């Protein structure tokens, strides 16, 4: 059995039916599924009750041992959202570790996030020495750059 990690719009029977005001679509959550020999995703289920919140979660990358995950989430901590000066809830990067029971813990926002810019779409290089992200932080060359 091969497991993959993917984004999926929440189904109506999972926790809530809240919709995002900008597109009237359900919030995104992290899901996992089995990939069949034909490339079809089956047996999908929520990835983690610890990581999924009532806000958007998406874009993950794992260490090779699958013990650490980096993921994008709306700026939402301790059941509270944080907005920028224009009133937007921005994307931030988080990190979590899996314990011996297979549960995700030590969920933390990474220190290079900022309340006035987005940071998301994490990717780890093959040697696991660098974490690449996208961000519209000051000092970039375009609207969103790879850092």
């Amino acid at each position: 059995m091969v497991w993959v990690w993917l984004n999926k719009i929440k189904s109506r029977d999972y926790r809530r039916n809240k919709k995002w005001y900008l597109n009237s679509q359900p919030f995104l959550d992290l899901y996992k599924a089995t990939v069949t020999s034909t490339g079809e995703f089956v047996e999908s289920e929520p990835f983690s009750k610890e990581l999924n919140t009532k806000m958007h979660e998406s874009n993950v990358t794992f260490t090779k041992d699958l013990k650490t995950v980096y993921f994008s989430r709306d700026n939402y901590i301790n059941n509270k959202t944080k907005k920028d000066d224009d009133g937007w809830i921005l994307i931030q990067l988080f990190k979590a570790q899996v314990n011996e029971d297979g549960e995700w813990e030590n969920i933390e926002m990474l220190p290079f996030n900022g309340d006035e810019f987005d940071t998301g779409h994490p990717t780890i290089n093959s040697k696991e020495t660098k974490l690449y992200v996208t961000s519209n932080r000051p000092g970039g060359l375009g609207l969103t750059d790879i850092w």
Side-chain angles (χ1 to χ4, degrees):
M1 179 181 293
V2 176
W3 288 93
V4 297
W5 315 101
L6 62 141
N7 262 347
K8 181 178 177 181
I9 295 176
K10 291 184 173 181
S11 63
R12 292 185 185 270
D13 61 347
Y14 178 66
R15 292 196 306 170
R16 66 186 163 85
N17 190 21
K18 187 175 178 186
K19 297 193 176 179
W20 190 38
Y21 71 97
L22 285 179
N23 65 6
S24 298
Q25 295 294 310
F27 280 75
L28 299 175
D29 254 350
L30 301 175
Y31 277 70
K32 60 185 175 181
T34 301
V35 181
T36 67
S37 60
T38 61
E40 181 182 5
F41 296 112
V42 297
E43 302 172 15
S44 68
E45 61 182 273
F47 174 69
S48 165
K49 291 180 181 177
E50 293 85 14
L51 299 185
N52 288 336
T53 67
K54 68 179 187 174
M55 304 302 286
H56 289 297
E57 284 86 21
S58 68
N59 307 100
V60 300
T61 191
F62 293 88
T63 54
K64 291 177 186 176
D65 63 5
L66 301 177
K67 300 286 186 186
T68 303
V69 62
Y70 297 90
F71 62 100
S72 301
R73 176 191 284 164
D74 284 342
N75 197 348
Y76 182 76
I77 300 176
N78 299 324
N79 296 319
K80 294 181 184 176
T81 57
K82 197 164 191 183
K83 297 180 180 180
D84 71 0
D85 290 342
D86 294 326
W88 290 95
I89 300 170
L90 301 176
I91 299 167
Q92 304 294 302
L93 277 182
F94 290 79
K95 174 184 174 182
Q97 297 173 326
V98 68
N99 65 25
E100 291 177 7
D101 296 324
E103 297 170 353
W104 291 97
E105 62 184 11
N106 301 325
I107 302 166
E108 62 179 305
M109 182 184 277
L110 295 178
F112 50 82
N113 288 305
D115 292 334
E116 294 301 316
F117 53 85
D118 294 296
T119 305
H121 303 276
T123 300
I124 299 174
N125 71 345
S126 62
K127 294 181 181 180
E128 296 185 349
T129 58
K130 295 180 182 175
L131 178 67
Y132 295 97
V133 301
T134 62
S135 181
N136 58 356
R137 69 185 61 231
L141 300 175
L143 293 176
T144 302
D145 297 303
I146 298 173
W147 294 80

